[in-house]
Amino acid sequence: MLIQLKKYISHLPEKIWFRAMLFSVAAIFAAVAAEWIGPLIPYESDLDLASGSVGDILSILASSMLAVIAFSVSIMVSAYGSATSTATPRTIALMLADDRSQNALSTFLGTFLFSIVGIIGLSAGFYDDRGRIILFFATITVIVLITGTLINWIQQLSTFGRMNDLIERVERATSKALRWHGEHPFLNALPTVEIPSDAVAVRCDIASGVVTSLDMQLLEETAEKHDVTVYLDIHPGKLVYPARPLLYLSGKEAKTLDPQRFQDAILVEHDRSFDQDPRFGLVVLSEIASRALSPAVNDPGTAISVLDSGLRCFEIFAEASADTEDPRYSRIHGPAIEIRDLFTDFFTKIARDGAGMVEVQQRIQLCLQALAQSWPQLFSVAAAEASSDALERALEVIGHKPDIKDLRARSAKVVAVQEE
């Protein structure tokens, strides 16, 4: 429950309702506070215009914001549906967490509530003359804020939910996860070692699901308390079930201690997330390319854009892996992320679904060549295997001899890096 609570709190800023609530509370407070601030003004103002026009301005704001909110929500729902049908449903989570759309809706709702509260206060005689003047200037401030938000929101709508926008969102999320794993190999713990034969297995205590988060600090503290060593057998994104070990414990108290504390440090949910799972981002990118390569869509250009995004993601991972940080957790041996798995998650689906499109196959070989030649120690072996696999798939479909010759030559360059 503790790790679930931590994750829930960390994701609160990404929730639409949370930002809307904060903006709404601030707007209501601003409308009510006008009467409290009014008596603090040390002079009498002659701005009769303010006291006479603020009610009309608030009425205009209330009616217009209600229409803007309804329009914005309909646009967002339409964008979510478009993303589901043209890309993949897995991108919806990133769209829901979009800062600009959340700020826009929150500002619109906050302005609407500010106007309603102000109108109610004016109708009930809540404000004196100075309070009405404060309310007037607060309304002017809100108008300036809402104008800037509308301009930004209109610009956002021109790209929100479009294919390039979706690819960029997934690329950013994937790059962030890959950078962290590159800088903190083995989940910021000690390297993987052979698990002792007498180690005690700690298994999943609930129904099957996907590991979405690991509380490494809790694992370290619990291991320190019981004087045991932890050997993690899973990492975020892995499917677990009751028979599969999550980790192994080695030490004097390993056989007698209650494993619940260790199980509580591993969050198992139904769906994968982008946070700690870099492979999930690569899978989503490949799904976008696969959808584009389907006969119904037949859009190799999108697949090529996805390959370019994947190449940048792997480059970020390689650069981060070259400057790793020292392990933080001394009682945990973390799992390693296999480069082969990363390449399989990304390249295999695209190579399969784009087997008959020479331009896609050429870009696959080019990306693999770039990775193998730029970081041979890290990528050359996996790149050679992926290159050979993509070439075999292409040869089964492509019959044009010049295309076959070109692909063979490209693949040979990739494989040659491994053999050097």
Side-chain angles (χ1 to χ4, degrees), residues 178 235-236 238 244 272 277-280 282-283 286 314 317 335-349 378-379 381-383 385-386:
L178 282 171
H235 55 73
K238 283 291 186 180
R244 179 172 185 172
R272 300 173 72 171
D277 184 2
R279 293 182 60 183
F280 182 55
L282 295 174
V283 168
S286 66
F314 283 114
F317 175 72
I337 293 183
E338 295 290 340
I339 302 300
R340 286 186 177 91
D341 293 338
L342 297 178
F343 276 47
T344 298
D345 291 333
F346 182 69
F347 288 106
T348 300
K349 296 185 185 69
L378 187 62
F379 293 130
V381 175
E385 294 176 355

Side-chain angles (χ1 to χ4, degrees), residues 91-215:
T91 59
I92 301 301
L94 297 176
M95 296 180 67
L96 288 172
D98 179 67
D99 287 335
R100 289 198 290 181
S101 60
Q102 289 190 12
N103 288 336
L105 278 181
S106 301
T107 304
F108 299 154
L109 181 58
T111 301
F112 174 74
L113 293 177
F114 169 82
S115 304
I116 292 297
V117 173
I119 292 172
I120 293 174
L122 289 172
S123 301
F126 179 71
Y127 303 102
D128 58 17
D129 290 340
R130 284 181 291 186
R132 292 164 71 92
I133 293 173
I134 295 298
L135 182 63
F136 174 79
F137 284 108
T139 304
I140 297 300
T141 302
V142 169
I143 291 175
V144 174
L145 176 64
I146 201 67
T147 301
T149 303
L150 276 171
I151 294 173
N152 188 43
W153 181 230
I154 291 171
Q155 181 181 0
Q156 168 79 348
L157 291 180
S158 63
T159 58
F160 189 63
R162 303 296 189 268
M163 184 59 71
N164 289 340
D165 178 55
L166 295 175
I167 295 174
E168 289 176 4
R169 291 178 189 276
V170 180
E171 180 184 339
R172 286 196 299 268
T174 307
S175 298
K176 181 180 178 182
L178 282 171
R179 179 183 289 108
W180 189 91
H181 280 271
E183 295 173 347
H184 307 88
F186 312 105
L187 300 179
N188 214 6
L190 298 175
T192 303
V193 295
E194 184 178 354
I195 301 174
S197 58
D198 61 344
V200 178
V202 176
R203 305 182 189 278
C204 182
D205 61 341
I206 60 174
S208 62
V210 179
V211 176
T212 58
S213 184
L214 291 167
D215 192 336

Side-chain angles (χ1 to χ4, degrees), residues 267-288:
L267 181 60
V268 179
E269 297 180 302
H270 293 165
D271 300 315
R272 300 173 72 171
S273 65
F274 293 92
D275 296 338
Q276 297 186 16
D277 184 2
R279 293 182 60 183
F280 182 55
L282 295 174
V283 168
V284 173
L285 280 173
S286 66
E287 286 181 350
I288 296 175

Side-chain angles (χ1 to χ4, degrees), residues 55-70:
D56 296 335
I57 298 175
L58 289 175
S59 297
I60 295 173
L61 278 179
S63 59
S64 60
M65 283 303 101
L66 191 60
V68 169
I69 291 173

Side-chain angles (χ1 to χ4, degrees), residues 217-231:
Q217 184 63 41
L218 179 58
L219 285 175
E220 176 77 7
E221 293 173 355
T222 307
E224 181 74 28
K225 178 181 178 181
H226 295 285
D227 193 24
V228 297
T229 301
V230 177
Y231 302 88

